[in-house]
Amino acid sequence: VLLAAYVGYLGLGAVVLQALERPAEVQAAQNLLREHWELLANHTCLQGPALQRLIEGIIQAYKSGITLQGNTTSLGRWDYSGSFFFSISAITTIGYGNLSPSTAVGRIFCIVFALFGIPLNLVLLNEIGQLMLLGVQHCARRLEELFHWQNKASFLMKTCALVTGLLLFLLLPPLLFSDKEGWSYEEGFYYSFITLSTIGFGDYVIGMNPDRTYPSWYKNVISLWILFGMAWLALVIKFCINILE
C-alpha cells in the first residue's frame, strides 16, 4: 500500500507538472526556432553550421561561468568565495548543477572531498538540530515551571520555533535576494526552499549574475543560512515523517 501511494504521488506530480510546464516549453521551443531562422534570413553572411557551433560554444562557456562583456569575458565562479560556495553545495548534497569541475583531477578530488564531507555535514547538521530541539525543550520546561503549564508550554514553544524558523529561513531571506539578485519575492522564496530541502535544481543560484556587484560578506552569510536552515528544515521534515508514519 505504501509503495502504491508513493508511485501514485509521483504520478500525480508528473501529470500536474506536465499540464503546467509543457505549454511553456513548446512555446519557448517555437520562439527559439523562429528567432534562429529570422537571424539567418536577416544576416545572409551567417551559415547554419557556424551559427550552431557558436551557440554551442556560448552554452558551454555559460555553464563554466564565463560570459561575454563587450570585448572581454567575465570570470569569478572559481575564485575563493565561489569555490567555497561550491564546496558547501557539494557536501550538503544540494548540487545546483550550474557549476562543476571540468578537469579530471578536479573531479577526482570532488569525489574524495564529498565522500568524507557528506558524513561530516550530516553529523554537524544532526548536532545543530539536536541543539535547536534541546533549546525548545528547555524553554518549554521553564514555561512549565513559571506558569505551571503542562502540554500548553510544549505546544507553544514548538509553534514559536516553527514560526521563528519560517521567518529566518524562508520568509525573510527572499527580501535579501530581491535586493542583491533582483529576483521577485516568489523567486527568492522558491530558491530558499529548493536550497534548504537540498533539491537544488540550479535554475536559481546566488552570486552568479555578472552584471551585479556582490558584497564580500554575501556568500558567507548565505553559507551560514544554508547550514542552520537545513538543520531547521530537517526537524520540520522529521516531524512530517512522524505524522505520516
Side-chain angles (χ1 to χ4, degrees):
V1 172
L2 182 61
L3 179 60
Y6 181 81
V7 174
Y9 191 75
L10 291 176
L12 175 64
V15 169
V16 173
L17 286 171
Q18 183 182 21
L20 293 175
E21 298 296 331
R22 184 66 173 176
E25 180 188 39
V26 172
Q27 185 63 41
Q30 292 173 348
N31 292 340
L32 178 62
L33 190 60
R34 184 182 69 254
E35 291 174 4
H36 177 266
W37 288 115
E38 286 178 356
L39 183 64
L40 289 176
N42 295 331
H43 300 82
T44 55
C45 59
L46 289 175
Q47 300 296 321
L51 179 60
Q52 185 65 30
R53 288 194 298 271
L54 175 62
I55 293 172
E56 292 174 355
I58 292 173
I59 293 173
Q60 187 60 42
Y62 180 77
K63 289 181 178 179
S64 301
I66 302 170
T67 56
L68 287 172
Q69 291 183 327
N71 294 325
T72 62
T73 56
S74 67
L75 302 174
R77 291 195 178 185
W78 284 114
D79 58 7
Y80 183 79
S81 62
S83 301
F84 186 82
F85 194 72
F86 171 80
S87 300
I88 290 179
S89 70
I91 66 172
T92 56
T93 70
I94 296 173
Y96 289 114
N98 69 311
L99 188 63
S100 57
S102 59
T103 63
V105 177
R107 289 168 181 162
I108 293 172
F109 172 78
C110 187
I111 293 172
V112 177
F113 181 74
L115 184 64
F116 293 97
I118 291 173
L120 177 63
N121 176 71
L122 291 175
V123 170
L124 178 61
L125 287 181
N126 183 63
E127 289 297 320
I128 293 174
Q130 291 301 318
L131 286 175
M132 289 180 176
L133 196 58
L134 287 173
V136 171
Q137 292 173 348
H138 176 72
C139 291
R141 284 195 299 268
R142 292 289 296 171
L143 284 177
E144 289 177 4
E145 293 172 359
L146 288 174
F147 301 101
H148 303 289
W149 292 342
Q150 294 181 352
N151 296 330
K152 288 183 180 180
S154 178
F155 176 78
L156 179 63
M157 288 311 305
K158 287 179 180 178
T159 303
C160 289
L162 179 62
V163 172
T164 303
L166 281 172
L167 286 172
L168 289 178
F169 302 121
L170 289 179
L171 298 180
L172 293 180
L175 299 177
L176 176 64
F177 301 141
S178 296
D179 178 57
K180 299 301 179 184
E181 304 291 341
W183 299 340
S184 67
Y185 185 86
E186 176 271 328
E187 289 171 329
F189 183 82
Y190 168 80
Y191 166 78
S192 298
F193 181 81
I194 293 300
T195 294
L196 298 184
S197 61
T198 71
I199 296 173
F201 289 124
D203 48 352
Y204 290 92
V205 183
I206 60 104
M208 296 299 174
N209 190 340
D211 298 326
R212 288 184 171 267
T213 302
Y214 301 100
S216 57
W217 53 263
Y218 183 51
K219 286 188 177 180
N220 296 328
V221 170
I222 298 303
S223 299
L224 289 174
W225 167 75
I226 289 175
L227 189 63
F228 287 92
M230 284 180 61
W232 171 81
L233 191 59
L235 291 177
V236 175
I237 292 175
K238 184 178 180 181
F239 177 71
C240 294
I241 290 173
N242 293 334
I243 293 175
L244 287 173
E245 288 181 339

